[in-house]
Amino acid sequence: MKNKILTTALLISVLGGCHFIDSKSIYDVDFEHLVRSAFYTQQELLKL
C-alpha cells in the first residue's frame, strides 16, 4: 500500500514538472531580435 502511494505521488510530481516545462517556451524572442531577423531575411531575399 505504501509503495502504491509513493509511486502515485512520484508520477503526479513528474507529470506536474513536465507540464511546467512545457508551459514555458524556450523560443521566446524579444522584439529587437525579431526586427533584426526580419530585416536580415528581407535583405537576403532582395539579394536573390
Side-chain angles (χ1 to χ4, degrees), residues 1-41:
M1 181 72 175
K2 189 176 182 180
N3 195 17
K4 262 188 168 179
I5 294 172
L6 183 62
T7 304
T8 304
L10 181 64
L11 181 64
I12 289 172
S13 65
V14 167
L15 291 177
C18 291
H19 176 69
F20 176 73
I21 291 172
D22 288 342
S23 67
K24 183 178 180 192
S25 176
I26 60 172
Y27 297 107
D28 285 342
V29 181
D30 61 348
F31 184 72
E32 179 185 350
H33 285 97
L34 285 175
V35 171
R36 186 180 302 161
S37 175
F39 182 75
Y40 176 78
T41 303

Side-chain angles (χ1 to χ4, degrees), residues 16-17 24 26 31 42-45 48:
K24 183 178 180 192
I26 60 172
F31 184 72
Q42 185 68 27
Q43 292 298 318
E44 292 300 312
L45 286 172
L48 290 176

